Amino acid sequence: MKSVERIKEYFEIEEVQEERQNQAYEGCLFSIDQHLFRSRLAKKTPKKKGYFVVFWEKDSQQHNQAYSFEESPDRVIVTVIDDDKCGQFLFPKEVLRKQSVLRTEESKGKMALRVYPNWEKDLSDAALNALTIFNLAARTDGK
């Protein structure tokens, strides 16, 4: 998995567990210094700027649903690899809850999102708004 190999360049990771339902996005869980992480490789899409990544699991009826806040690991790492460019986004689970990405009693969550590395230029207003919201949430998270 390219994304895990990239992470291993900077951290010693342990207990890698692949998430089969998200194999296309190199979905896995692992530990770094006794903290649990979920990892994804974001994919470039041909018609929109940014990189698409999924966050879902199957429920008991085999329907897709967003990950729950209670069962989510401490952080999610989203890796972007595009030819010679590479970037990573580190989302604390509290930020993902605040932005309604993770499922809670108040929110059904989101099963996917789009990330925008700093090399993406000329973004739409919606993309810039998404960037601003996540940046503000991350800055105020305190973790």
Side-chain angles (χ1 to χ4, degrees):
M1 292 193 291
K2 296 183 294 186
S3 58
V4 172
E5 292 307 313
R6 188 61 78 151
I7 295 165
K8 284 181 177 179
E9 291 176 17
Y10 301 98
F11 300 100
E12 186 175 323
I13 66 174
E14 302 169 346
E15 304 173 37
V16 177
Q17 303 169 23
E18 289 187 43
E19 293 184 305
R20 293 178 194 236
Q21 77 275 7
N22 286 284
Q23 269 183 321
Y25 292 85
E26 297 188 7
C28 67
L29 295 165
F30 55 79
S31 296
I32 299 175
D33 293 330
Q34 300 179 344
H35 293 281
L36 189 60
F37 289 78
R38 175 167 275 129
S39 176
R40 293 288 184 278
L41 176 66
K43 292 185 173 188
K44 188 173 189 170
T45 55
K47 295 183 181 179
K48 283 182 115 175
K49 294 213 177 233
Y51 298 77
F52 187 77
V53 63
V54 299
F55 297 104
W56 57 267
E57 62 188 348
K58 297 282 187 186
D59 66 14
S60 58
Q61 286 82 39
Q62 296 301 302
H63 296 110
N64 294 353
Q65 65 179 2
Y67 285 112
S68 74
F69 175 77
E70 291 80 23
E71 296 175 14
S72 288
D74 303 325
R75 293 174 178 84
V76 173
I77 297 177
V78 176
T79 302
V80 178
I81 300 172
D82 189 353
D83 296 325
D84 64 335
K85 296 180 272 239
C86 180
Q88 292 178 311
F89 296 83
L90 179 62
F91 296 108
K93 80 184 243 182
E94 187 60 33
V95 169
L96 296 175
R97 184 196 61 77
K98 285 180 185 176
Q99 298 307 315
S100 300
V101 174
L102 296 176
R103 189 177 77 250
T104 63
E105 289 183 16
E106 299 83 30
S107 169
K108 69 177 188 169
K110 297 176 185 166
M111 291 189 284
L113 61 89
R114 190 170 293 277
V115 294
Y116 303 92
N118 61 3
W119 62 79
E120 287 284 275
K121 304 296 180 204
D122 302 319
L123 297 175
S124 69
D125 288 344
L128 290 170
N129 186 46
L131 272 173
T132 302
I133 290 169
F134 272 106
N135 285 341
L136 288 173
R139 268 187 255 147
T140 60
D141 186 52
K143 292 186 181 183

